Amino acid sequence: MDAIVFASVTKTFPMNAQRMLARGYLAKWLKRGSRERFVALRNISFRIPRGQTVGVVGVNGAGKSTLLSLVAGLCPPDEGAVTVRGRVSPLLQLGAGFHSDLTGTENVHLNAALLGFTPEKTAESFDQIVEFSGIGPFIDQPARTYSSGMTMRLAFSIAIHGDPDVLIIDEVLAVGDQAFQVKCMDKIQQFRKQGKTLLFVSHSTGAVQKLCERALWLDRGELMMDGNAADVAAAYEDGARVNVGTP
Amino acid sequence: MWRGDYFYLLRNLVLKDFRTRYRNMSLGLLWSLVNPLVMMTMMTFVFTKIFPLTAISKFPVFVLCGLVPFNFFSLAWANGTTSIIDNAQLIKRVPVPRETLPIASVLGNAVHLTIQVVLLLVIALAFGTGVNRYWLWLPVLWACELVFVIGCALLCGALDVYVRDMRYVVESACMVLFWLVPIFYDISRVRPQYADIYQYNPIAALVLALRNIILEGKPPRAVLLSKLFLVSFFMLLLGWSVFRRLSRRFYDYL
């Protein structure tokens, strides 16, 4: 059973989205909608079976974040279809659901609710979340006093305690210290053993090889390569444009 | 997509608004009492001492019947309109059901409304209006206003993403509404040919119904109530359907 399926997915964004003033609307109306669009992903297809750990590599602007947003259900594709089965927990940006004036405890409740926890589930896993994050007495301090590492620890800890079927991680782990990264890696390994799916974006090909069995290489919105993590990492580092069919 | 606990989420979003707004203020919640009291005193002074409107007795209660629903409406509408843009980070990074953001923002303001309603009733009793059985209509009236404001917030919140001038449109509309709702004047002074404008304005209808109940001890007119009811639910339906349609593209425009 596949956890994530992309079938010929294309995603575009409007150019100059902010310049939609009265003048812009008038021009659009006169030209009958011939506005330029930026193609973030072009005709992407792949399937990820349940329990696979997949890395996504590519230079800045290659479309990695757009791909993760589609998986997280934050936006619909323009063409094609995205199918995701199970509960998704996205960690797309450091402290996205955090409010700097709220304390750690309040932020845990807010983020748990945002991720779809029930109140019972939050109460039940609260101690584990704090324990795993290892931020100790800072849990009663406002989040503005946290370092980026501490914010990430708490955010990661909440995300994994939501018992997701699919975990999406966008580069955020990089800000953790060595000890916490090791802890995260352990947790992710445990996660894999439970047959859960992980989608992981990183600029570090080392981390991708260590963690993932498979990798996708995106470049300017196109899927350059899809295959064994070590092969993809090597090809990406060489900048070689090897086209390998889906395994 | 999102299969979480809707009410838990709403509760947490309202709490967030509430905590972040008041945490660093020494007066905190008391502010929701200060504003209507100051306005009530000022208007009573102006309209009993400077331009005396002698026909109106218990002027402080009269004016508060206008101010409380109007204040809630204008604040909740304005906050609801900017709620999507203010939470752009959330919309772009967390698959939270988007309609919860304007709804939570309106509900946050409803907490102030509750406090101000209590203030209104206390002042009404202090002026010796007494409790009557028509007070049972009051929760229904406030619920209608809540429904109406949620509709407005959904509609304008969604539009604000595409047309960022929306918040200024709302601001200006509230200024106009301050004069078009009979807050400090009596509807009987409005000539019949203009009175039609007031017919379909739910905030004006609410003010009139409140005065019927609290000041005159009369039940509100059935026509007035049914129009209030219809317009409120129509607004909710309109807001909801526009929001549903527009929210699919929020990500692209934030």
Side-chain angles (χ1 to χ4, degrees), chain A residues 69 74 93 106 109 114, chain B residues 2 8 23 89 92 98 251:
Chain A
S69 299
L74 297 169
Q93 196 178 44
E106 289 163 349
H109 283 280
L114 287 170
Chain B
W2 191 86
Y8 183 55
R23 179 138 298 168
Q89 278 309 307
K92 291 209 76 163
R98 283 87 199 268
Y251 184 93

Side-chain angles (χ1 to χ4, degrees), chain A residues 212-226:
Chain A
C212 309
E213 50 208 279
R214 175 179 167 193
L216 308 174
W217 171 21
L218 289 175
D219 190 54
R220 273 167 276 167
E222 301 199 26
L223 185 59
M224 302 300 294
M225 192 171 164
D226 173 0

Side-chain angles (χ1 to χ4, degrees), chain A residues 70-83:
Chain A
L70 284 163
V71 175
L74 297 169
C75 54
D78 291 292
E79 283 163 41
V82 175
T83 317

Side-chain angles (χ1 to χ4, degrees), chain B residues 2 20 58 72 110 139 146 150 152 162 236 239 250:
Chain B
W2 191 86
T20 52
K58 297 174 186 158
F72 168 63
L146 199 62
I150 287 176
C152 293
Y162 300 88
L236 181 67
F250 280 174

Side-chain angles (χ1 to χ4, degrees), chain B residues 59-70:
Chain B
F59 195 82
V61 184
F62 179 86
V63 91
L64 217 50
C65 281
L67 275 176
V68 171
F70 174 79

Side-chain angles (χ1 to χ4, degrees), chain B residues 26 40 44 65 70 81 130 136 172 189:
Chain B
S26 39
M40 180 192 83
T44 306
C65 281
F70 174 79
T81 299
L136 289 174
S172 311
R189 317 242 321 178

Side-chain angles (χ1 to χ4, degrees), chain A residues 101-125:
Chain A
D101 280 337
L102 296 179
T103 67
T105 308
E106 289 163 349
N107 271 311
V108 169
H109 283 280
L110 175 61
N111 277 275
L114 287 170
L115 289 177
F117 285 41
T118 59
E120 298 79 39
K121 170 84 186 147
T122 315
E124 190 189 299
S125 36

